[in-house]
Amino acid sequence: MSAPAEILSDLLDAINDAGQLDSFSVWCEVAPVLHEAGARRGCATAKLEVSLPSGCVEVAYLIAHPMQADQGHEVSR
């Protein structure tokens, strides 16, 4: 049987393989405080937690930033 850290790592790999949410960047693992701030700023958020009855817990906090809509304007040089 795998340890919680290994399971969490496999889950993060599966999320990356699944792709991006529409209109959001790729998922980024962040500290809990950035996860909370991202939620207040319009980011998509996810929290993965693997815990055992023994008290062993592994947590990953993820955010995906909203993508700017392309306005169809070219940047002049």
Side-chain angles (χ1 to χ4, degrees), residues 53-75:
S54 65
C56 182
V57 178
E58 292 289 331
V59 182
Y61 297 91
L62 307 170
I63 63 171
H65 296 279
M67 305 262 301
Q68 295 292 333
D70 183 12
Q71 300 298 319
H73 297 106
E74 291 186 29
V75 177

Side-chain angles (χ1 to χ4, degrees), residues 24 27-28 30-47 61-66:
F24 288 89
W27 289 104
C28 302
V30 297
V33 67
L34 295 176
H35 181 262
E36 292 175 24
R40 291 189 302 270
R41 293 188 173 135
C43 293
T45 62
K47 175 184 170 187
Y61 297 91
L62 307 170
I63 63 171
H65 296 279

Side-chain angles (χ1 to χ4, degrees), residues 6-22:
E6 293 173 20
I7 296 292
L8 189 59
S9 178
D10 290 344
L11 289 171
L12 291 170
D13 289 343
I15 286 174
N16 286 327
D17 290 343
Q20 297 172 227
L21 294 171
D22 289 340

